[in-house]
Amino acid sequence: MASHDSHPEIQKSEAHSQEIWEEDASLLRPSLPGQHHLSSRWTDFPKKNIFFWFSCLSNAVLIGVVAWLAVYKSRTTGDLDIKQTSPMGTVPDVPMRFRRAFGKDLSPYQGFPDDEKDRLWMEMYEKGIAIRITKDEYDQLINKTERVPIEGYEDDYLVGVDAFHQLHCLNEIRKGFYPRRFDSSMENPDGTVNFLNWLHIDHCIESLRQAIICHADSSVTTFHWLKTKIMEPELGTMHMCRDFSKVQEWTFSRTLGYSNKRLRVENGTVVDYSSWGENPEDIFADFVPEGWNHTVDEL
């Protein structure tokens, strides 16, 4: 019986395959002047050559993708690197021990409301809701705003510091627990929920949720084993906090007696639109969802 290797058709097929490999290898490697024949070194590993060039091509594509992403990021976020979200500058960090807010470790802001507590809450934020910044400070901001609609300040710009809006929101939620004192009830005379009052509280809760996530205090709370044989968190721990007194000092020095939202600076002049259009509260009334019929029994 003829051997497998000696069969003429098989030998012809193997010779043809060898020719194909040699042709592929000659295409993959650089040609040298006057070189027409493959050396045995190249014909021994044409597959390795293919893998080598495939690896080079893959790396080139990867480098291209990374370069494109870098350019894309610079185009989309580069402005944020130059611009600012606040003109305040650097605020120093200070160590502060949080109060446990239970038992005897209370703050002056806690407890049932009275005139003194209400005053402390208002003084904490009311001067920071509407303040003025200069044109140079405005030019550095990523968020744009309007000019101050008060005569004498038309060249300045109107902003508020969000920390004070957040404190306002927290105070509104506090007031919601004492509807008779602050006239903050969400109940209409017919027993349904007042949509506008509910909307304000809902807005405030969401604003505070976003602020907490944004600043994400990573200070840890510890745990203690009490004599009552129970594990409880120790909330009175040290934190590193921005110096709030510095924030208040910078902000309150720029406060404005601004309350009329119908004023706007146009062509350098304050224009009063108080006689134009609906009352803002009436406009919000149009936001009541169709079919809104929640009752106080659901609160």
Side-chain angles (χ1 to χ4, degrees):
M1 180 180 293
S3 68
H4 175 81
D5 293 337
S6 62
H7 196 286
E9 292 298 325
I10 294 178
Q11 290 176 342
K12 183 178 179 181
S13 175
E14 290 178 345
H16 180 66
S17 299
Q18 180 66 18
E19 289 176 2
I20 293 175
W21 277 114
E22 290 175 355
E23 182 180 355
D24 290 344
S26 67
L27 293 174
L28 288 172
R29 78 175 189 277
S31 297
L32 298 177
Q35 184 178 16
H36 303 290
H37 302 287
L38 294 170
S39 67
S40 61
R41 182 171 62 87
W42 282 99
T43 57
D44 286 343
F45 58 101
K47 292 184 179 180
K48 291 184 178 179
N49 241 2
I50 293 174
F51 292 140
F52 170 75
W53 287 106
F54 179 77
S55 176
C56 291
L57 179 62
S58 299
N59 288 334
V61 171
L62 179 61
I63 292 172
V65 171
V66 171
W68 180 83
L69 288 174
V71 172
Y72 178 79
K73 180 180 179 183
S74 67
R75 289 178 178 176
T76 55
T77 64
D79 201 31
L80 287 174
D81 296 334
I82 300 172
K83 300 289 186 177
Q84 304 170 357
T85 58
S86 171
M88 193 177 303
T90 303
V91 179
D93 289 340
V94 293
M96 183 175 72
R97 187 188 72 82
F98 277 25
R99 295 178 183 270
R100 294 186 66 250
F102 284 115
K104 296 181 179 180
D105 194 13
L106 304 178
S107 81
Y109 301 91
Q110 287 185 260
F112 268 83
D114 54 38
D115 292 345
E116 176 62 14
K117 290 185 179 67
D118 295 344
R119 182 186 65 81
L120 288 175
W121 273 92
M122 291 296 293
E123 288 182 349
M124 189 166 41
Y125 66 82
E126 65 177 340
K127 293 182 180 179
I129 300 298
I131 67 170
R132 59 183 176 83
I133 60 173
T134 66
K135 175 68 166 59
D136 289 341
E137 292 169 330
Y138 166 80
D139 288 338
Q140 298 304 313
L141 292 182
I142 189 67
N143 299 310
K144 299 308 176 185
T145 189
E146 295 282 340
R147 292 181 182 269
V148 176
I150 297 176
E151 292 186 3
Y153 294 100
E154 298 93 330
D155 293 333
D156 290 337
Y157 287 80
L158 180 67
V159 297
V161 175
D162 205 38
F164 300 103
H165 168 255
Q166 293 159 17
L167 288 170
H168 152 77
C169 268
L170 187 59
N171 196 26
E172 290 302 308
I173 296 173
R174 179 185 76 99
K175 291 178 180 179
F177 284 96
Y178 310 99
R180 291 183 178 85
R181 177 178 178 85
F182 298 107
D183 192 23
S184 58
S185 174
M186 286 193 286
E187 181 178 1
N188 288 320
D190 62 357
T192 59
V193 175
N194 184 297
F195 176 75
L196 292 181
N197 289 352
W198 171 87
L199 182 64
H200 194 181
I201 297 299
D202 187 58
H203 150 80
C204 280
I205 292 173
E206 176 60 13
S207 295
L208 293 176
R209 184 193 69 83
Q210 293 180 92
I212 291 171
I213 290 175
C214 176
H215 298 289
D217 186 354
S218 59
S219 303
V220 300
T221 56
T222 56
F223 284 81
H224 292 281
W225 184 249
L226 303 182
K227 294 179 179 179
T228 52
K229 307 302 181 186
I230 189 172
M231 187 78 75
E232 289 287 356
E234 174 52 71
L235 303 178
T237 57
M238 292 296 296
H239 295 243
M240 288 302 296
C241 306
R242 301 182 79 190
D243 191 337
F244 187 65
S245 64
K246 299 293 184 183
V247 177
Q248 281 185 315
E249 180 182 343
W250 184 92
T251 305
F252 289 2
S253 68
R254 297 156 176 259
T255 192
L256 296 165
Y258 171 73
S259 59
N260 188 350
K261 296 181 180 180
R262 291 290 190 179
L263 301 179
R264 186 170 188 256
V265 176
E266 297 180 0
N267 299 319
T269 303
V270 178
V271 180
D272 191 343
Y273 286 96
S274 296
S275 60
W276 186 91
E278 298 179 77
N279 183 291
E281 295 296 325
D282 296 333
I283 296 175
F284 274 111
D286 295 335
F287 293 170
V288 179
E290 184 177 354
W292 176 272
N293 59 357
H294 294 285
T295 68
V296 293
D297 293 332
E298 299 176 67
L299 297 178

